[in-house]
Amino acid sequence: MTNTTAKFTIGDKSWDFPVRDGTIGPSIVDITPFYRDSDHFTLDPGFTSTASCESKITYIDGDKGTLLYRGYPIEQLADGGDFLETCYLLLYGELPTAAEKQDFDSRVTYHTMIHEQMMRFFTGFRRDAHPMAIMVGVVGALSAFYHDSTDISDPHQRMIASLRMIAKMPTIAAMAYKYSIGQPFEYPRNDLDYSSNFLKMCFAVPCEEYKANPILARAMDRIFILHADHEQNASTSTVRLAGSSGANPFACIAAGIACLWGPAHGGANEAALNMLEEIGTVDQIPEYVRRAKDKDDPFRLMGFGHRVYKNYDPRAKIMQKTCHEVLNELGLGNDPTLQVAMELERIALEDEYFVEKKLYPNIDFYSGITLRALGFPASMFTVLFALARTVGWIAQWKEMVEDPKQKIGRPRQLYTGAEERNYVPINDRG
Ligand code: CMC
């Protein structure tokens, strides 16, 4: 613990604020009493310099390109374990023993079915509804069905709500997909592992036997691990902000899903795949790179750049490997979109503009191609991201609710609107 303080001076007045160190990463200046002492707010739109909370869950070193869940490098977790092990780690803080893992797996699978009446929610949506719209609605509706896990002051209810969401998210996501293509819903199978069960719920039909390909199921599982948490990103911050008012966990996760939907966040993998398909052939790449560099053209290379990673996104490397594995397994190694992606990556990584701005491929660059090869339409990509991120949202939500210092999130503003003025009746307005 350092005794350093930061001095802040406005005019002839100064204040000292404590500097606190984390385990690793940048220290923070604790400005909690800043307004009380100085009568000023600080302004930081987009939170580029502001830590919104203290957390023990996930650590990113954007300069080195490191991502740790509870201290463990993402590469090791993606290589060695499975998604439910990552869920356990994120929720409880430690890797499970074999017995703990077995117990956790069975506690999650116990909750995979959803209340039969919830099926009617799906049929209330138009067939062409975006599955993310369905996810926001149906996940929010869980709070109407599972009252016995909405008391956030009860640790047991908090854990049941957490297990329910991890277990039911694949069922809801698969149903959203089945509904959109006009196929009957597939019930979950608790004798299958998490990802094989999910693939089966998405791709099996009642008239045929279905057996998930283990290589594809492993790839799906790895994609879930890669997306499981990413510290205080926009959707996680949304979940925390929603939860800070005491809202129930299902409502908070629905808020996170709504935030994730945007193209600058979870929607980027869909946008990246659309872009690669639009580029179409390798010879078109220079034109798109030129447009991405043109200040007067709003076009950006989707799947490139990240607020935090100013080095290779470590998830992108694993995603690239997974992409090759999936395409090879399916005999699609010469897929033209993959060829465009590999060449675009090569060109951009050598281009001065991208090098100077430290713009590297992010996880979304290769995930779209992989998910499409697995059989998912682009509209499902963000749904899969939401499915995987649910555990991260829940772990972060639980950490916040269990923090005795937790307060409602209530940012301030710099007001630049009209000064106080009197109301003018409508007939007297000029
Ligand atoms: N293509 C071309 N130029 C870019 C790109 C890009 N993909 N990304 C950033 N830049 C430029 C940008 O124009 C700006 O240039 P200048 O300084 O000359 O004005 C500079 O790089 C910094 O960009 P920024 O928008 O200020 O950076 P940010 O940290 O606010 O934005 C980002 C990060 C991810 C929104 C942005 O890089 C982007 O729009 N990328 C494309 C969308 C994408 O792939 N998003 C997925 C993010 S990873 C998944 C997730 O975590 O949700």
Side-chain angles (χ1 to χ4, degrees):
M1 188 75 173
T2 166
N3 285 323
T4 320
T5 55
K7 191 176 277 309
F8 208 111
T9 304
I10 302 175
D12 56 0
K13 286 196 184 142
S14 291
W15 302 270
D16 286 327
F17 297 99
V19 174
R20 289 182 53 204
D21 298 331
T23 343
I24 33 177
S27 305
I28 58 102
V29 181
D30 184 350
I31 57 159
T32 311
F34 186 71
Y35 172 60
R36 187 198 64 199
D37 294 352
S38 73
D39 210 21
H40 284 73
F41 297 140
T42 56
L43 177 68
D44 181 15
F47 296 96
T48 50
S49 299
T50 300
S52 61
C53 64
E54 197 174 317
S55 181
K56 293 182 166 54
I57 302 174
T58 294
Y59 174 74
I60 303 171
D61 185 328
D63 293 324
K64 284 196 195 137
T66 310
L67 169 60
L68 310 176
Y69 293 165
R70 301 283 190 182
Y72 295 100
I74 188 69
E75 295 85 350
Q76 294 179 21
L77 294 169
D79 249 12
D82 66 20
F83 178 64
L84 283 182
E85 182 184 62
T86 294
C87 292
Y88 185 101
L89 175 68
L90 289 170
L91 284 177
Y92 295 100
E94 296 298 335
L95 286 169
T97 61
E100 286 166 342
K101 172 72 166 54
Q102 199 181 12
D103 174 61
F104 182 71
D105 286 5
S106 67
R107 281 194 292 144
V108 170
T109 44
Y110 178 74
H111 290 288
T112 50
M113 276 176 48
I114 59 167
H115 194 293
E116 192 69 9
Q117 225 175 307
M118 286 195 83
M119 308 263 183
R120 303 216 193 116
F121 269 80
F122 290 88
T123 50
F125 285 98
R126 280 171 57 137
R127 284 270 177 212
D128 59 356
H130 196 289
M132 279 299 272
I134 299 182
M135 295 299 287
V136 175
V138 176
V139 173
L142 287 170
S143 41
F145 285 87
Y146 300 99
H147 301 286
D148 58 343
S149 52
T150 51
D151 177 0
I152 65 161
S153 64
D154 177 349
H156 177 69
Q157 293 202 26
R158 285 201 297 270
M159 190 45 85
I160 296 291
S162 306
L163 297 180
R164 277 187 169 142
M165 276 184 280
I166 294 167
K168 292 183 198 304
M169 211 55 141
T171 314
I172 295 171
M175 288 171 83
Y177 173 57
K178 284 296 197 192
Y179 182 69
S180 74
I181 56 169
Q183 288 186 1
F185 299 137
E186 275 281 318
Y187 284 95
R189 286 294 309 249
N190 290 351
D191 55 339
L192 297 176
D193 64 80
Y194 193 84
S195 296
S196 301
N197 174 49
F198 177 61
L199 290 178
K200 179 174 182 301
M201 286 192 291
C202 289
F203 301 120
V205 285
C207 45
E208 278 174 26
E209 271 303 308
Y210 178 89
K211 197 169 176 321
N213 174 325
I215 292 180
L216 304 187
R218 178 74 190 119
M220 188 78 261
D221 207 68
R222 206 176 288 138
I223 291 170
F224 291 156
I225 295 173
L226 297 182
H227 287 87
D229 196 40
H230 214 224
E231 53 118 305
Q232 309 312 319
N233 55 83
S235 57
T236 302
S237 301
T238 302
V239 170
R240 279 187 178 257
L241 199 54
S244 76
S245 72
N248 75 68
F250 304 109
C252 297
I253 301 305
I257 296 173
C259 176
L260 186 73
W261 198 353
H265 194 4
N269 50 13
E270 184 173 342
L273 179 66
N274 290 341
M275 178 196 75
L276 292 170
E277 286 179 341
E278 188 186 308
I279 297 175
T281 48
V282 167
D283 59 307
Q284 294 295 318
I285 292 174
E287 170 59 8
Y288 282 85
V289 171
R290 187 198 60 72
R291 285 186 57 198
K293 294 183 332 192
D294 182 353
K295 281 253 159 283
D296 300 324
D297 189 330
F299 175 76
R300 282 185 171 200
L301 281 191
M302 299 312 284
F304 263 81
H306 198 277
R307 170 63 59 81
V308 181
Y309 293 117
K310 300 303 168 198
N311 197 325
Y312 222 106
D313 177 344
R315 304 168 303 169
K317 284 192 188 144
I318 308 167
M319 200 63 242
Q320 188 200 49
K321 188 169 150 240
T322 306
C323 180
H324 284 288
E325 280 169 17
V326 167
L327 267 63
N328 286 337
E329 174 64 15
L330 296 170
L332 300 170
N334 293 323
D335 179 75
T337 320
L338 179 65
Q339 305 302 324
V340 170
M342 290 194 309
E343 186 59 8
L344 177 59
E345 179 183 3
R346 193 190 62 76
I347 292 176
L349 288 178
E350 286 174 359
D351 191 288
E352 207 179 308
Y353 174 94
F354 289 89
V355 173
E356 203 176 88
K357 294 190 187 306
K358 301 190 170 158
L359 297 169
Y360 291 87
N362 58 51
I363 186 169
D364 294 317
F365 192 64
Y366 281 103
S367 64
I369 305 176
T370 316
L371 295 174
R372 188 192 57 181
L374 284 171
F376 293 102
S379 60
M380 277 296 288
F381 294 176
T382 321
V383 172
L384 302 176
F385 190 161
L387 187 171
R389 184 55 58 84
T390 295
V391 65
W393 289 331
I394 292 169
Q396 301 270 351
W397 169 83
K398 270 178 88 270
E399 181 177 67
M400 182 194 68
V401 171
E402 289 164 12
D403 178 356
K405 296 198 295 286
Q406 187 263 326
K407 277 176 185 276
I408 186 166
R410 190 5 180 134
R412 304 298 194 139
Q413 64 173 9
L414 174 66
Y415 177 70
T416 51
E419 289 188 29
E420 183 173 341
R421 49 188 170 163
N422 288 326
Y423 175 80
V424 180
I426 195 159
N427 292 332
D428 298 346
R429 287 173 216 162

